[in-house]
Structures are given as C-alpha cells and as structure tokens.
Amino acid sequence: MADKCHLCLLGLIILSSLLTGTSGVNDAHVFISSGENVRLPCNNHLHDCKSTTWIYNNRHSATDELIGLGIKKKDTERHERLSLGSDCSLNIKNIIKEDYGSYSCRQYVNGQQQGTDARVYLHVLHVSSSSSQTEISAGSSVTLSCQLFSYTGVSCDDWIRSEGIQLFWVNQAGVKLTISDSRYQISAPGHCIITLTTTLLNEDDNREWRCEVTHRNQVKTSVTYTVKSSVISVLVNLTDRRNYTPLPLPPTKQPNTDLLQLLSYGQSTGFFHPLQERAVLIAA
C-alpha cells in the first residue's frame, strides 16, 4: 500500500511539473521593464563557456538558438543586443516587450548534452499610451496601459493568479491608485494588464505615474510614465511689432520652416509667423 501511495505522489509531482511548464530547481524568474538591460543567469554552466548554448522560446515563435557553444549567432534579430557574460550568463540590452519568454541554458561536451537545462523565464513589464504624441495638452484624456508579458507554458492570467502576482498604478508619492479616486479610472481587463485613464490638468506637467508588479507583496519591477504637457499656444495679432524683442533661437526649440524669428513679448516668448502676421506665443 505504501508503494502505491509513493507511486501516486510521484505521478502528481510529474503532472504538476508538466502543467506549470517548469523543469526543476534550476528554473529562475526574472522581471524587467522595457528599455532596461537584463542579465539572465546560467545556473548549470561548466568551467568553460565554450560548452554553453542559450535557446529561446515563447508561445508565438519557434525555438531560436541565440548562443551556440559560446558563440553568438549573427542571424538572430537581437544579435546586436546580446552578449555572453564571463559566468556564461546571457546579457540583453534595451529590453523590448517581445523579449519575454523562456530562455534555456544548455551544456554540451563532445556533442553530448550534460545534465538538464537551466531555464530562465523573462517577464517584461511595458507601459503604452493612448496618445501617439510625445507631448499632451491639458484637458486631453489619456489612457495608460500597463501589461506584463509572460510565458511559462501556461496562460499569463493563470500563472499570475496562481503565483500571487499583482499589477498596480501608484502616484509620485507611491500611493496606490484605486477606483475610489474620482480623478482616475482604473480597470483590469485581465490579470496581466491594468489601465489608468485620466484627464490632464495644467499642474500635471512632469507628473509621474508608476506601474508596479509585485510578487507576494514584494515589488519586482516598475515602469514610470512622465506627463509632458504640450506648449499652450496663444495667437496674437502683431499690431505693434515694437513690443517684440528678437531672441537667439535655442537648439531645442527649432521652428517650422515658415516660422522665422523667436521673439519675446512681455513675460512670454514665441515664434513670429511672417505670412499670417501673427506670433505663436509660448506661455511663460
């Protein structure tokens, strides 16, 4: 009877491993934000990285060999962003959301695989804005979408729910934003995505909102979105050009081809539009 129970327990362990997509104690989970650099550890490396091969996989792509026996593959899309560390770790620069997935470190000696793979699951946090403009004016509504891109062999929603992982929006003070705040609309279409919608105010220029991903209440990574309000423009007829003083043109304020002269008017500055007899003033 004891032998039967032992066999049943062993079967449950194997089945659980298959369902969760894990392969053992060598597995690691790394959380990173898009735009950052990351190091993926190789927990089964031998003395010489010439035996190391790194293999990548996610649900949307075929298996891709990134490093073969210590040599970086040149035919991969990420060739320029990859490097092999002295400890055989895989370094990836300027992470993009498409980098998420499973990375396996495998060892070969004389053409024979040594031991089991050391797998690293890379989870990428990414924030996107509903506005395609880099600067948004006050009064505009903006929606920020924060999504965790993840692949562990099961769906992202199922994995997040089982592991106690959560996504939050917080303000500059680190206070969690909730649906009870009348200024914000917080929604979660799924466990792996959370959105923040708000109407921008004048005082929101340079304001920061941060999306955090936590694992058992511990912050694993975060992405900060900074509001850049566009310049508030006022059109003024040039009835008296003597009130305008020419100013040198800053390199960061290059005008369009039909805006010839940067001017000052009282406490404001702006560009003189010679064809329309007006100036576009930038509020001080």
Side-chain angles (χ1 to χ4, degrees):
M1 183 68 179
D3 290 339
K4 290 184 178 179
C5 291
H6 178 75
L7 289 174
C8 290
L9 180 59
L10 180 60
L12 288 173
I13 292 174
I14 295 174
L15 178 61
S16 175
S17 177
L18 292 174
L19 290 175
T20 57
T22 59
S23 62
V25 295
N26 281 334
D27 290 351
H29 292 268
V30 175
F31 294 81
I32 196 69
S33 301
S34 55
E36 296 184 347
N37 302 331
V38 70
R39 171 189 171 274
L40 305 183
C42 178
N43 293 329
N44 65 352
H45 70 89
L46 304 178
H47 298 294
D48 192 342
C49 291
K50 291 181 180 179
S51 63
T52 297
T53 293
W54 275 98
I55 299 171
Y56 169 74
N57 183 41
N58 72 23
R59 66 168 60 90
H60 300 300
S61 68
T63 299
D64 187 15
E65 186 176 290
L66 306 176
I67 305 288
L69 299 178
I71 301 174
K72 183 168 59 173
K73 298 293 183 177
K74 295 184 178 181
D75 55 350
T76 63
E77 294 181 1
R78 292 172 285 183
H79 167 74
E80 297 297 332
R81 298 190 291 119
L82 300 178
S83 64
L84 194 63
S86 59
D87 57 356
C88 307
S89 59
L90 180 65
N91 301 313
I92 311 175
K93 296 188 298 183
N94 192 24
I95 285 290
I96 59 177
K97 61 184 181 182
E98 290 80 8
D99 288 330
Y100 81 96
S102 169
Y103 293 78
S104 297
C105 187
R106 186 176 297 174
Q107 305 300 318
Y108 288 97
V109 175
N110 297 325
Q112 298 295 318
Q113 182 175 346
Q114 306 296 303
T116 59
D117 291 350
R119 186 178 302 170
V120 183
Y121 293 106
L122 181 63
H123 312 281
V124 179
L125 190 66
H126 178 76
V127 168
S128 59
S129 170
S130 60
S131 174
S132 59
Q133 300 177 348
T134 56
E135 295 184 339
I136 311 171
S137 60
S140 300
S141 176
V142 62
T143 296
L144 304 178
S145 297
C146 178
Q147 184 169 357
L148 183 66
F149 291 85
S150 178
Y151 171 71
T152 60
V154 296
S155 72
C156 182
D157 279 355
D158 288 343
W159 181 72
I160 272 190
R161 187 168 54 248
S162 66
E163 292 295 324
I165 294 173
Q166 294 180 300
L167 272 65
F168 299 106
W169 278 106
V170 300
N171 61 18
Q172 290 184 141
V175 177
K176 179 182 174 182
L177 302 179
T178 65
I179 57 175
S180 61
D181 193 321
S182 59
R183 220 208 124 172
Y184 305 103
Q185 297 177 22
I186 307 293
S187 65
H191 290 84
C192 295
I193 184 171
I194 186 170
T195 64
L196 179 155
T197 301
T198 189
T199 299
L200 298 181
L201 307 176
N202 287 326
E203 55 267 30
D204 284 336
D205 189 27
N206 289 319
R207 186 181 299 277
E208 294 180 350
W209 290 297
R210 187 169 69 253
C211 180
E212 296 181 345
V213 55
T214 64
H215 185 209
R216 297 187 177 93
N217 297 320
Q218 185 177 37
V219 177
K220 306 303 290 186
T221 190
S222 64
V223 177
T224 299
Y225 182 89
T226 303
V227 176
K228 293 295 183 182
S229 297
S230 61
V231 173
I232 301 174
S233 298
V234 181
L235 301 183
V236 179
N237 291 326
L238 298 183
T239 56
D240 187 356
R241 295 186 188 175
R242 291 174 297 178
N243 292 332
Y244 293 82
T245 305
L247 296 174
L249 189 63
T252 58
K253 293 291 184 181
Q254 292 295 333
N256 296 328
T257 55
D258 59 349
L259 299 178
L260 301 183
Q261 181 63 62
L262 181 69
L263 306 167
S264 69
Y265 184 77
Q267 297 299 313
S268 301
T269 59
F271 296 117
F272 169 51
H273 194 307
L275 299 181
Q276 300 183 24
E277 288 291 304
R278 65 185 185 184
V280 180
L281 295 185
I282 305 172

